[in-house]
Amino acid sequence: MTMLLNFLKLNGYGIYVWPAYGLVAGLLALHLFLPWRRWRALNKKPKDAHAQTQ
Amino acid sequence: MFKKPLLQKMLSQTQVFLTRVMSPPYFFSFAEKCLPWFVAVFVAALAYGLIGGLFLAPADYLQGEGFRILYVHVPCAFLSLMIYSVMAVAAAFGLIWRLKLAFAVMRQSAPLGMVFTFLALVTGSLWGKPMWGTYWIWDARLTSELILLFLYLGILALHSALPNRRLADHATAILVLIGFVDIPIIHYSVNWWNTLHQGSTLRLLAPSLIAPSMLYPLLAMTVAFCAYYAIALILRLRCALLSESGAR
Amino acid sequence: MLKLNKLQTRRLYYLLALMLGLALAAGLILYSLKQNINLFFTPSQALQANLPAGHRFRLGGQVKPGSVIREKNRLQVHFILTDLKRELPVTYSGILPDLFREGNGAIAEGSWGTASQSKKTFIATEILAKHDENYMPRAMYEELRKK
């Protein structure tokens, strides 16, 4: 546990390093997720229309 | 008769190639095939880059553990410039050959480039506070990068402000090309002027000024971010082109 | 088959002309602003510029090895900034950034001291540390220093 904490502290630089990594990961994940959801929504529509015509 | 001007010959040949390759159906089948590879490269490079950057790479002699922000800051900054260059090339292709796909690449790259620019600025300021002693300073590198962020914002705003699709594409493409002057300024700002920001770490033509054990994770992270850009761009393009054709 | 398309060639030329004109304009603007864009004066430039006392500017250079003197019981620090041609004494009271080391780059913001001396002193109100693009582990650094 103390080893983990020591690692997370990164000699006192942790408070700068982790927000930087977290922000990058968060924003990039968000930007992958957004078009993916739109893509799924777009995909649903033609399929439903197809089902109705059958 | 025999000797056509070289430029015109190249242009017309490029057109033949482009109309075949850059048509949306061809692009879709190509993108579908490439997507899993990009994902594989992204996952592998990101895993190695993160483990290498956070655990394997030794602490810097001067900055200690604080230098590990390098592994997200440099790829973000690199991508912010690379994406703009891609957009400028796409804008030129779109304006000359009136390619729908080129305009779509330009338009769909802009939000990604904006995110990377924003991240480069924020990670840079989080790095600057402990090392330089300040979050922000109006030096040439930081200011020109901030201008790039505003350029991305302006591009997105202009495109959404014009209701006519064709007009929006063309006007935005010209803005993208005008804004391209900022790219060499950002890159060379640290050489041309006195700045607080240090010079470039990654160099294409000369050996990089960084120990190999620190370099490889950095290269891996850069590759991972490039793969991320490719994946996100393909997903965004698929949506954009599909919703556009679906609307008609 | 490879028919020339005059329209496209013309578009290309327009774009090339646009880019060229822009590059030229940007180059001229930046050239004329060259002095204002520089973040700091080097000691040589500062001595040449002959700025009046009280005029705030930034002075940047290398902290001369062996020149840092910390006053006892006070936060006051004296050191010398050099660009390897000219050097200038700097006085600062406050907390220094982590990377402020002898032999490293530093940027001091402040003005000339008002005390009329033959030797000019720079009174700094803020110190920023500059680092370079060479990253290496400690062991490698020690090895390089030995050479």
Side-chain angles (χ1 to χ4, degrees):
Chain A
M1 192 63 202
T2 46
M3 259 179 72
L4 184 72
L5 271 179
N6 271 342
F7 169 69
L8 287 181
K9 262 190 212 157
L10 286 179
N11 256 340
Y13 290 121
I15 50 163
Y16 299 108
V17 175
W18 298 117
Y21 274 78
L23 203 70
V24 170
L27 273 184
L28 293 193
L30 190 75
H31 256 248
L32 257 192
F33 179 68
L34 285 178
W36 200 64
R37 223 179 50 172
R38 257 180 70 205
W39 168 241
R40 286 227 322 216
L42 274 172
N43 251 6
K44 259 183 196 166
K45 268 184 224 156
K47 265 182 195 164
D48 289 350
H50 188 64
Q52 277 171 6
T53 51
Q54 277 188 338
Chain B
M1 284 284 280
F2 175 69
K3 276 188 182 174
K4 283 174 183 171
L6 186 67
L7 184 67
Q8 290 185 333
K9 196 168 173 180
M10 272 167 57
L11 274 178
S12 48
Q13 271 174 344
T14 317
Q15 164 118 53
V16 171
F17 170 76
L18 284 177
T19 41
R20 199 176 301 151
V21 173
M22 299 272 288
S23 67
Y26 187 94
F27 169 78
F28 276 133
S29 66
F30 181 69
E32 290 285 329
K33 273 177 212 148
C34 288
L35 202 51
W37 291 103
F38 283 133
V39 174
V41 167
F42 173 68
V43 171
L46 186 73
Y48 172 68
L50 277 181
I51 294 171
L54 287 173
F55 301 97
L56 302 181
D60 183 52
Y61 77 100
L62 188 61
Q63 307 186 26
E65 305 284 350
F67 98 107
R68 295 186 195 281
I69 297 182
L70 176 91
Y71 294 111
V72 286
H73 174 71
V74 170
C76 283
F78 175 77
L79 263 275
S80 71
L81 298 186
M82 195 195 80
I83 292 176
Y84 200 94
S85 310
V86 168
M87 284 167 63
V89 170
F93 273 43
L95 283 178
I96 295 168
W97 286 286
R98 305 286 140 111
L99 290 163
K100 208 169 118 186
L101 188 64
F103 285 128
V105 166
M106 177 191 78
R107 167 66 184 78
Q108 298 304 325
S109 291
L112 294 166
M114 194 183 71
V115 166
F116 280 118
T117 313
F118 176 74
L119 286 173
L121 286 169
V122 173
T123 54
S125 86
L126 281 170
W127 195 6
K129 183 61 185 169
M131 295 309 157
W132 296 340
T134 179
Y135 284 113
W136 183 261
I137 190 166
W138 293 100
D139 90 341
R141 172 55 76 82
L142 276 65
T143 310
S144 54
E145 184 78 7
L146 186 68
I147 291 173
L148 182 67
L149 181 66
F150 292 146
L151 264 174
Y152 277 121
L153 277 172
I155 287 161
L156 286 172
L158 180 67
H159 198 277
S160 62
L162 295 172
N164 180 333
R165 184 49 175 264
R166 216 180 94 90
L167 183 67
D169 279 344
H170 288 203
T172 312
I174 287 172
L175 177 60
V176 167
L177 287 175
I178 290 172
F180 190 72
V181 268
D182 195 30
I183 300 301
I185 293 175
I186 293 174
H187 184 82
Y188 289 108
S189 55
V190 287
N191 304 339
W192 289 345
W193 300 292
N194 295 333
T195 55
L196 182 59
H197 196 285
Q198 67 282 6
S200 313
T201 302
L202 290 181
R203 294 174 183 201
L204 288 178
L205 299 174
S208 295
L209 300 165
I210 177 170
S213 53
M214 298 168 160
L215 174 67
Y216 296 131
L218 180 59
L219 290 179
M221 284 300 266
T222 311
V223 169
F225 277 42
C226 288
Y228 170 89
Y229 167 58
I231 295 164
L233 183 65
I234 289 173
L235 289 181
R236 293 184 68 90
L237 276 175
R238 225 160 51 163
C239 284
L241 293 173
L242 200 79
S243 62
E244 202 176 89
S245 57
R248 275 171 198 166
Chain C
M1 196 175 94
L2 297 176
K3 251 189 173 177
L4 312 175
N5 189 331
K6 280 192 176 156
L7 191 63
Q8 284 162 1
T9 330
R10 204 189 317 151
R11 282 182 199 143
L12 181 75
Y13 284 138
Y14 278 147
L15 282 186
L16 285 179
L18 175 81
M19 299 298 286
L20 211 71
L22 267 169
L24 201 70
L28 286 175
I29 290 171
L30 291 174
Y31 183 74
S32 64
L33 287 176
K34 196 171 188 332
Q35 271 313 311
N36 293 341
I37 292 173
N38 281 331
L39 187 71
F40 55 84
F41 287 119
T42 62
S44 312
Q45 289 168 338
L47 286 168
Q48 219 171 26
N50 209 11
L51 293 156
H55 181 90
R56 287 181 68 79
F57 66 97
R58 292 199 192 92
L59 184 71
Q62 192 198 33
V63 182
K64 195 182 174 189
S67 72
V68 179
I69 302 161
R70 288 165 210 268
E71 282 190 15
K72 280 176 188 168
N73 309 325
R74 283 206 294 171
L75 275 173
Q76 195 126 34
V77 191
H78 304 274
F79 59 92
I80 290 174
L81 276 181
T82 171
D83 58 359
L84 305 178
K85 283 175 228 145
R86 308 287 293 270
E87 43 192 51
L88 273 173
V90 179
T91 302
Y92 171 70
S93 58
I95 296 161
L96 292 162
D98 293 2
L99 286 199
F100 182 87
R101 313 257 170 93
E102 294 185 358
N104 276 352
I107 294 171
E109 191 177 341
S111 54
W112 292 121
T114 40
S116 54
Q117 293 168 330
S118 58
K119 236 180 155 187
K120 279 194 161 182
T121 310
F122 189 77
I123 312 289
T125 54
E126 196 186 357
I127 301 275
L128 299 173
K130 197 165 151 54
H131 64 83
D132 61 14
E133 62 274 26
N134 304 304
Y135 306 93
M136 58 187 112
R138 177 156 284 283
M140 192 172 160
Y141 175 68
E142 308 274 326
E143 228 168 80
L144 270 180
R145 280 199 69 172
K146 271 181 211 157
K147 287 176 195 169

